[in-house]
Amino acid sequence: MFDAVVRGGTLVTHGLPRADVAIEDGKIVAIGPDLAGAEEEIDARGLHVFPGLIDVHLHFNEPGRTDWEGAATGSRALAAGGGTLFFDMPLNSTPCTVNADAFDRKHAALAEASVTDFALWGGLIPGNVSEMAELADRGVVGFKAFLCDSGLPEFPRADDLTLFEGLREAARLGLPVAVHAESQEITQGLGRRTVPGERSSVRAFLASRPVLAELEAIQRATFLAGEAGAKLHIVHVSSGRGVALAAEARAQGVDVSIETCPHYLFFTEDDVERLGAIAKCAPPLRNGGEQDSLWSQLLKGGVDIVASDHSPAPPDMKSGDFAQAWGGIAGVQSTLSVMLDRGHHHRQLSLERISSLIAAEPARRFRIPTKGSVALGMDADFALVDVSRSTQLEPGQLKQRYALSPYLGCTFRGCIERTIRRGKTIFMSGDIIARGGGNFVRPARG
Ligand SMILES: [Zn+2]
């Protein structure tokens, strides 16, 4: 007798077969029609069985800034969006994850609080290249660097030499470096030029962070990664030209992966004017033409991974003067909904491709061999989805700490009905039904 069987769902794997999936000890042990009975019968008829979403980029800010979010609330929101594993960025926790001691503190806090499984990014900042080996021993998935100001003085940007030496060390350790690719010189120079009267205008902010700043930084980072022989992951690429530029580097042999975020695929700069600071992020939202070109790059295979870059802040930091407001979009719960609605229903993006962008490729790129697909021997992590049902996102549905999301009020076709983490249902019928239980996940050596 199996522990559980997910019965009669359509598996989002090649060919979309209808099948039962049997679970024992949190693993998938059988897939096929009419499997034998189980202690727990999970009815998935009429639903699609996606692998659990893996969010490779978010900020739960624990320890130290749990008044901004925290792993308990953040992971519940992730689970409500079909997520079963996240990679927490080295900031905006206190301390930032830039050495082994900071890693241990975050690991302990997340192991206590998270309802989903979790992995940790280490940070790459000036002066900490010598700490990277110990962070790798602890099990980080890679190292994150900023090419422009991060917004936190305790996480300074990587100058070119720091980036290059960090890339070389990461290559030696067999781990990728993730970069926030915007040029410091261009963004800072343009930012200084805004005249005082315009300072709080949305357009002045957008104009200070043009696509050019992203392209210049991608060019430099891919060049340095190629010279260092390192794996590079470019986070939150906001423009089609950014994707194309990184793809050119890949064609020349640089080992680079490309991430974008749902908000670049869903909102435009007009929405920043309409919504205000809640839609402020960096790189900023782009105009409709840039968004179309990002979609077209994604549809032709140029984007590897879609991640939320959930970066929440308390309400008082997301209101008032736009120039002073925290930059970050709190959308962890909406990634799969956006991809189903805007990708599948509006642009015929296949469900298999969505599954690749949110699960298979994150697991492959960051070497988590037990996750990312619905297959024998894998962890039984699933999102059960009604692909046709439409829902409107209401504040009461948001599980994150503050009901602040630019997606509030938006209607999505494609609804996450249930989330299962290692065989245990953690989200169902709109409610989180587990406390804690998340495991730390480390990359395989390779
Ligand atoms: Zn981020």
Side-chain angles (χ1 to χ4, degrees):
M1 190 122 163
F2 301 117
D3 293 343
V5 171
V6 178
R7 214 170 274 291
T10 300
L11 308 190
V12 183
T13 51
H14 190 66
L16 299 174
R18 280 257 304 274
D20 299 341
V21 181
I23 302 164
E24 257 175 32
D25 296 328
K27 298 272 186 195
I28 299 173
V29 293
I31 298 176
D34 307 316
L35 295 181
E39 278 170 45
E40 186 188 3
E41 293 281 330
I42 298 170
D43 185 2
R45 285 171 299 171
L47 302 179
H48 281 76
V49 182
F50 280 77
L53 176 144
I54 300 172
D55 195 334
V56 307
H57 183 169
L58 50 70
H59 306 260
F60 284 164
N61 306 334
E62 182 160 1
R65 275 196 188 81
T66 45
D67 52 327
W68 292 24
E69 180 66 273
T73 49
S75 67
R76 291 161 68 91
L78 176 71
T84 50
L85 169 63
F86 65 89
F87 299 178
D88 194 65
M89 281 293 172
L91 68 170
N92 311 310
S93 52
T94 303
C96 296
T97 319
V98 293
N99 56 45
D101 178 58
F103 177 100
D104 292 344
R105 291 170 64 178
K106 181 177 282 192
H107 179 281
L110 269 52
E112 176 82 28
S114 183
V115 75
T116 66
D117 290 343
F118 64 96
L120 300 187
W121 284 97
L124 166 59
I125 59 172
N128 91 323
V129 172
S130 60
E131 310 277 354
M132 290 169 67
E134 219 175 327
L135 283 164
D137 278 350
R138 291 291 204 276
V140 295
V141 288
F143 302 92
K144 167 79 176 293
F146 273 75
L147 303 194
C148 59
D149 284 343
S150 74
L152 288 189
E154 64 268 37
F155 199 96
R157 76 185 176 89
D159 56 89
D160 290 351
L161 184 59
T162 296
L163 179 60
F164 178 67
E165 291 182 341
L167 283 161
R168 233 176 20 191
E169 177 69 348
R172 188 181 73 81
L173 298 167
L175 290 170
V177 169
V179 291
H180 176 129
E182 283 186 293
S183 157
Q184 172 73 358
E185 281 72 16
I186 294 172
T187 55
Q188 191 180 53
L190 288 172
R192 281 200 189 115
R193 239 186 247 173
T194 47
V195 290
E198 287 180 327
R199 212 159 243 295
S200 21
S201 98
V202 171
R203 290 286 160 186
F205 171 76
L206 297 174
S208 74
R209 309 194 84 105
V211 170
L212 177 73
E214 176 169 83
L215 299 178
E216 190 281 330
I218 289 174
Q219 179 96 302
R220 187 155 34 93
T222 51
F223 171 73
L224 292 174
E227 290 295 308
K231 294 180 191 157
L232 182 70
H233 178 67
I234 305 175
V235 301
H236 53 49
V237 177
S238 67
S239 64
R241 280 192 292 164
V243 175
L245 194 59
E248 272 173 42
R250 175 150 56 194
Q252 284 159 20
V254 181
D255 186 351
V256 55
S257 50
I258 301 159
E259 168 196 307
T260 192
C261 305
H263 39 271
Y264 300 115
L265 299 165
F266 191 88
F267 297 109
T268 66
E269 58 186 24
D270 294 340
D271 295 309
V272 192
E273 283 190 306
R274 182 173 61 83
L275 294 164
I278 205 166
K280 179 183 179 182
C281 60
L285 300 175
R286 304 299 188 187
N287 65 36
E290 290 291 352
Q291 187 185 64
D292 286 344
S293 116
L294 180 61
W295 265 115
S296 107
Q297 287 290 341
L298 186 147
L299 290 166
K300 69 182 192 191
V303 173
D304 304 295
I305 291 172
V306 175
S308 72
D309 191 12
H310 179 72
S311 182
D316 64 338
M317 294 180 72
K318 291 298 270 179
S319 57
D321 181 45
F322 187 87
Q324 299 303 318
W326 179 256
I329 284 184
V332 68
Q333 201 168 321
S334 301
T335 301
L336 183 50
S337 304
V338 169
M339 297 314 291
L340 290 168
D341 185 87
R342 295 306 161 107
H344 184 62
H345 291 298
H346 283 74
R347 291 180 178 80
Q348 290 79 50
L349 183 65
S350 74
L351 298 177
E352 295 100 315
R353 185 76 206 299
I354 291 175
S355 171
S356 167
L357 288 162
I358 59 148
E361 195 55 26
R364 192 200 65 78
R365 178 60 170 169
F366 298 102
R367 298 204 318 268
I368 315 290
T370 55
K371 296 193 182 282
S373 64
V374 179
L376 284 181
M378 305 295 279
D379 284 356
D381 295 337
F382 312 116
L384 305 189
V385 172
D386 184 334
V387 168
S388 308
R389 186 156 85 89
S390 290
T391 49
Q392 191 176 25
L393 185 65
E394 305 292 350
Q397 294 165 2
L398 281 177
K399 308 298 182 196
Q400 60 212 49
R401 178 154 185 143
Y402 300 107
L404 285 178
S405 161
Y407 297 108
L408 277 178
C410 296
T411 297
F412 299 100
R413 188 161 180 222
C415 187
I416 292 95
E417 303 289 346
R418 184 168 181 145
T419 305
I420 297 171
R421 179 217 64 212
R422 285 179 281 108
K424 181 175 170 47
T425 296
I426 56 174
F427 170 78
M428 188 170 63
S429 310
D431 289 319
I432 296 292
I433 54 172
R435 279 178 67 86
N439 281 353
F440 175 62
V441 174
R442 61 158 64 224
R445 288 275 174 204

